[in-house]
Amino acid sequence: MSAKNKLSLSVQYPDTRLRDSITRQKIRRWAQAALLAPAELTIRFVDAEEGRVLNRDYRAKDYATNVLTFAYNEGEDIAEDEPTRADIILCTDVLEKEALEQKKTVEEHSAHLIVHGVLHAQGYDHDDDDEAAEMEQLETDILAALGYPDPYAT
């Protein structure tokens, strides 16, 4: 691993439902694949209630969402060797429901949401059509390199 993509990773499972299937080893592989620079990341799996509270308190949206990214040095000018720092919160209830609705495995959807969250942590966004297209293409390419299907294919 190059110093450029050095990853310090903490994984938390206060909601334990995915602990045995979405392992720290898988999460590290997915996050590492999406890194463009060094990072210190916490990935946390929560239930619908904690997900709803976080989304309400930090985004003023009173519902649980699939993934929330809290990028702590967002918008800062950081040195090339300075790590991106972020917490990425995945809501197990929403993740499992979406996987079923989208006819994906929980693993495929988890990989996608972690890649998506890691890209957000590094400044990628999807606020307009051009940004969304760029981010979606990057996600698709990263997931393909990991052996997963296009998450946006219908």
Side-chain angles (χ1 to χ4, degrees):
M1 173 174 36
S2 73
K4 175 185 169 212
N5 293 350
K6 184 174 184 221
L7 174 61
S8 172
L9 178 66
S10 173
V11 179
Q12 301 172 352
Y13 298 94
D15 180 331
T16 60
R17 287 176 283 173
L18 297 179
R19 182 176 49 208
D20 294 335
S21 59
I22 306 302
T23 63
R24 187 178 194 287
Q25 181 180 7
K26 288 177 183 177
I27 293 166
R28 174 173 286 285
R29 183 171 167 256
W30 302 335
Q32 189 74 53
L35 283 184
L36 307 170
E40 295 174 3
L41 304 175
T42 297
I43 310 284
R44 180 176 173 87
F45 290 85
V46 303
D47 63 13
E49 180 57 25
E50 185 174 344
R52 184 185 69 78
V53 167
L54 289 168
N55 203 26
R56 182 194 65 213
D57 291 356
Y58 292 96
R59 295 182 61 230
K61 297 182 180 188
D62 195 16
Y63 57 87
T65 190
N66 55 13
V67 62
L68 290 167
T69 301
F70 297 96
Y72 297 113
N73 44 8
E74 185 174 22
E76 294 178 12
D77 242 355
I78 61 174
E80 191 175 308
D81 61 344
E82 177 77 14
T84 294
R85 293 180 178 89
D87 291 342
I88 300 169
I89 313 298
L90 287 94
C91 180
T92 302
D93 294 290
V94 176
L95 187 157
E96 290 181 328
K97 179 177 179 274
E98 288 178 349
L100 187 63
E101 290 170 354
Q102 297 171 20
K103 297 177 177 40
K104 299 176 181 175
T105 67
V106 168
E107 181 173 320
E108 289 168 346
H109 199 41
S110 296
H112 177 215
L113 293 178
I114 287 171
V115 166
H116 184 86
V118 171
L119 291 175
H120 269 309
Q122 297 174 103
Y124 283 87
D125 220 328
H126 43 79
D127 290 336
D128 66 41
D129 289 344
D130 289 339
E131 286 179 343
E134 179 184 356
M135 189 170 177
E136 288 176 12
Q137 187 59 58
L138 192 51
E139 291 169 16
T140 300
D141 293 346
I142 291 166
L143 289 165
L146 290 166
Y148 294 104
D150 180 349
Y152 297 104
T154 53

